[in-house]
């Protein structure tokens, strides 16, 4: 097989990159380890920045998002039994976010790929990139017991945190930056109406809680739990009780509860590798960086990497601008580090780190009090939450 761009991974990064490239006449093949159904069964976040919404529009996959997504012009912070609204639109000159699940984005991208006729090989085992330092890289993989070879010009590593792409770069060429947090998020998805029209990020002495949503009839809630917590120990009743205790009383009183349709625990991590490229391989999205979910930045950062690589490859193929290639990593990282900072900071501000009422606890309280009583404080949250501008290559 032969193509221009070999894309490893059919998550949102790989599918969006493939769709954008196909529309520019740049041939690509996607190799995915799992089945399409498996990819769609993963429950992930659901807040899209304006930049990602625009990119989905450019990719021509905005029809259902326009109809079923919900623009949000504010989010709330809750603490000390009260709520403060962050007026995203008012503080950022009219910018908003779109609440539309990653699963739905993925579904739309899969449908678009089917229509465009692009090749996606699902259940491709043992995917391996080769000869990345040469002008003729290729990727091998196993399918139906046969080993196949895909020759290409470039490889896009869109295969997530546990993928093969990052591991294909010699360890001494990469610098890893990592921070683990001493807690995780227990998440529940339920077919109940959301407790509020806007997302609520709550700080409480028992730990952080988040009220989010997928639609007017489907909610997504989270509570902070210790890292070693076992999901089996959380009945639905226990989850709802704990969530209520962490919310302002008037919010808790309105919370509609019901059976969970998904329940899982995810650890929180900050992670970045530098550089995000090696020879003809580019790392995109979770393959290169992870943020704790507190700022809803994971998927959005993947989209900004896709934006950078897409514009770079269009210039390479249409204008012969191979001189831009070395700029990929530094262009992406500028924005990534700012989103890493915001996600780490929101996490530090809102989570419980100690059982004691210690100095750090008072600092958190004072910071929240300050931020929410100052227009400058609220603006710094708002402009990061809606998403910082995309970096340009030149
Ligand atoms: N070979 C082929 N495919 C692979 C391999 C491999 N060795 N390893 C992983 N994959 C596939 C996974 O099965 C998955 O479908 O790559 C895909 C990676 O998708 P995601 O993990 O969703 O990563 P990405 O596309 O970068 O999506 C952005 O940001 O914070 C997150 O929730 C957010 O998942 C979202 C991500
Ligand atoms: C979600 O809806 O799953 C969600 C929303 C906001 C976050 C994290 C997760 O910050």
């Amino acid at each position: 097989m032969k193509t221009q761009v070999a894309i490893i991974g059919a998550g949102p990064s790989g599918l969006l990159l493939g769709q954008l490239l196909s529309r520019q006449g740049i041939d690509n093949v996607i190799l995915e380890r799992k089945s399409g159904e498996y990819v769609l069964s993963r429950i992930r976040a659901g807040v899209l920045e304006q930049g990602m919404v625009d990119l989905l529009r450019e990719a021509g996959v905005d029809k259902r998002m326009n109809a079923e997504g919900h623009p949000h012009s504010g989010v709330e912070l809750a603490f000390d039994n009260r709520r403060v609204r962050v007026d995203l639109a008012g503080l950022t000159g009219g910018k908003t976010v779109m609440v539309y699940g990653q699963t739905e984005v993925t579904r739309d991208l899969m449908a678009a790929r089917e229509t465009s006729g692009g090749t996606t090989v699902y259940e491709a085992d043992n995917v391996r990139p080769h000869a990345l330092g040469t002008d003729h890289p290729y990727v091998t993989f196993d399918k139906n017991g046969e080993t196949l070879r895909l020759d290409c010009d470039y490889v896009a590593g869109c295969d997530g945190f546990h993928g093969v792409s990052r591991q294909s770069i010699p360890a001494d060429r990469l610098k890893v930056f990592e921070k683990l947090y001493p807690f995780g998020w227990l998440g529940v998805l339920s077919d109940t109406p959301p407790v509020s029209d806007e997302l609520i990020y709550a700080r409480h002495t028992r730990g952080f809680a988040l009220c989010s949503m997928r639609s007017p009839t489907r909610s997504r809630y989270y509570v902070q739990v210790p890292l070693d917590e076992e999901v089996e120990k959380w009945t639905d009743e226990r989850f709802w009780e704990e969530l209520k205790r962490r919310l302002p009383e008037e919010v808790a009183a309105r919370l509609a509860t019901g059976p969970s349709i998904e329940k899982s625990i995810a650890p929180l991590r900050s992670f970045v590798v530098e550089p995000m490229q090696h020879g003809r391989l580019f790392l995109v999205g979770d393959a290169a960086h992870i943020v704790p979910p507190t700022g809803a930045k994971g998927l959005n950062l993947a989209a900004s990497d896709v934006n950078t690589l897409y514009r770079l490859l269009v210039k390479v193929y249409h204008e012969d601008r191979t001189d831009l290639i070395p700029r990929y990593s530094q262009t992406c990282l500028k924005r990534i580090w700012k989103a890493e900072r915001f996600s780490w900071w929101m996490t530090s501000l809102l989570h419980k780190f100690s059982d004691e009422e210690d100095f750090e606890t008072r600092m958190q309280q004072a910071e929240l009090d300050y931020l929410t009583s100052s227009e400058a404080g609220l603006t710094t949250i708002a402009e990061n939450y809606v998403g910082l501008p995309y970096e340009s290559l030149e």
Side-chain angles (χ1 to χ4, degrees):
M1 291 166 86
K2 194 166 170 35
T3 189
Q4 288 174 304
V5 182
I7 299 176
I8 306 179
S13 299
L15 287 167
L16 180 55
L17 180 66
Q19 179 67 9
L20 288 160
L21 292 177
S22 296
R23 283 169 75 94
Q24 292 288 334
I26 300 170
D27 192 57
N28 59 89
V29 169
I30 304 183
L31 304 175
E32 164 62 49
R33 182 165 59 178
K34 303 282 187 183
S35 68
E37 299 84 74
Y38 180 92
V39 171
L40 282 177
S41 71
R42 293 190 289 232
I43 307 292
R44 298 273 175 84
V47 177
L48 314 186
E49 295 172 350
Q50 187 65 51
M52 177 161 190
V53 169
D54 293 344
L55 198 59
L56 287 166
R57 295 210 162 113
E58 191 170 338
V61 284
D62 56 330
K63 200 162 163 226
R64 208 159 61 92
M65 174 181 73
N66 294 335
E68 295 174 27
H70 294 267
H72 281 214
S73 57
V75 291
E76 289 191 5
L77 299 176
F79 54 99
D80 294 344
N81 206 24
R82 65 194 179 98
R83 300 152 69 188
V84 174
R85 182 168 191 265
V86 183
D87 179 3
L88 298 174
L91 293 162
T92 62
K95 293 192 183 138
T96 57
V97 293
M98 175 79 87
V99 170
Y100 189 63
Q102 176 176 326
T103 314
E104 305 314 314
V105 173
T106 308
R107 198 186 306 280
D108 296 346
L109 285 164
M110 279 181 175
R113 187 150 185 97
E114 190 125 351
T115 309
S116 70
T119 307
T120 311
V121 183
Y122 284 100
E123 296 174 315
D125 284 330
N126 203 19
V127 175
R128 295 268 176 275
H130 304 273
L132 296 168
T134 73
D135 291 347
H136 302 286
Y138 61 96
V139 183
T140 54
F141 61 98
D142 298 343
K143 180 74 189 169
N144 301 329
E146 233 187 307
T147 298
L148 300 172
R149 171 176 168 141
L150 174 63
D151 287 285
C152 57
D153 302 331
Y154 300 99
V155 180
C158 303
D159 48 353
F161 185 64
H162 300 287
V164 66
S165 299
R166 191 178 67 249
Q167 290 164 26
S168 311
I169 303 178
D172 62 0
R173 295 293 184 87
L174 288 181
K175 175 141 181 67
V176 173
F177 300 84
E178 185 166 30
K179 180 176 173 64
L180 297 169
Y181 300 83
F183 40 73
W185 280 16
L186 167 63
V188 157
L189 190 68
S190 66
D191 278 329
T192 52
V195 70
S196 170
D197 290 343
E198 293 181 342
L199 274 74
I200 304 177
Y201 290 83
R203 177 187 182 277
H204 191 273
T205 48
R206 295 182 67 83
F208 171 80
L210 170 61
C211 304
S212 181
M213 65 207 70
R214 292 290 175 273
S215 76
T217 56
R218 182 167 284 190
S219 300
R220 181 74 166 155
Y221 296 107
Y222 299 93
V223 293
Q224 173 188 350
V225 291
L227 251 194
D228 54 4
E229 193 65 53
E230 290 165 32
V231 70
E232 293 76 26
K233 294 202 174 137
W234 285 82
T235 60
D236 290 353
E237 287 73 36
R238 182 176 173 204
F239 178 83
W240 293 121
E241 273 317 302
E242 187 60 38
L243 177 61
K244 281 184 188 171
R245 292 176 77 169
R246 299 184 187 190
L247 299 174
E249 280 162 31
E250 43 114 8
V251 178
R254 291 191 275 113
L255 182 76
T257 63
S260 62
I261 47 179
E262 196 263 356
K263 196 189 282 157
S264 54
I265 296 180
L268 270 68
R269 180 198 299 270
S270 297
F271 177 95
V272 182
V273 285
E274 292 182 357
M276 288 169 55
Q277 63 193 106
H278 174 69
R280 289 186 170 232
L281 168 70
F282 304 95
L283 300 178
V284 181
D286 277 18
H289 43 78
I290 298 290
V291 285
T294 324
K297 292 284 166 254
L299 175 60
N300 291 300
L301 272 188
S304 63
D305 292 352
V306 168
N307 179 71
T308 303
L309 185 55
Y310 158 59
R311 294 193 198 285
L312 187 153
L313 289 173
V314 167
K315 286 204 177 290
V316 167
Y317 282 105
H318 294 178
E319 298 170 30
D320 203 20
R321 291 291 308 275
T322 48
D323 61 300
L324 293 175
I325 287 176
R327 294 206 200 149
Y328 172 72
S329 178
Q330 70 206 52
T331 306
C332 292
L333 284 165
K334 265 177 99 164
R335 191 170 188 278
I336 288 161
W337 276 116
K338 284 179 246 181
E340 289 281 346
R341 186 206 68 82
F342 179 64
S343 307
W344 157 82
W345 176 73
M346 283 277 279
T347 304
S348 314
L349 184 66
L350 297 171
H351 286 72
K352 175 181 173 167
F353 282 81
S354 150
D355 286 333
E356 308 291 323
E357 288 270 295
D358 58 6
F359 184 80
E360 273 67 35
T361 317
R362 287 286 179 274
M363 289 298 100
Q364 273 186 331
Q365 289 167 334
E367 189 167 15
L368 253 181
D369 198 12
Y370 160 66
L371 286 166
T372 52
S373 58
S374 145
E375 177 147 342
L378 290 168
T379 305
T380 197
I381 297 175
E383 72 183 359
N384 281 280
Y385 197 84
V386 299
L388 297 174
Y390 282 5
E391 300 285 338
S392 84
L393 273 165
E394 296 183 85

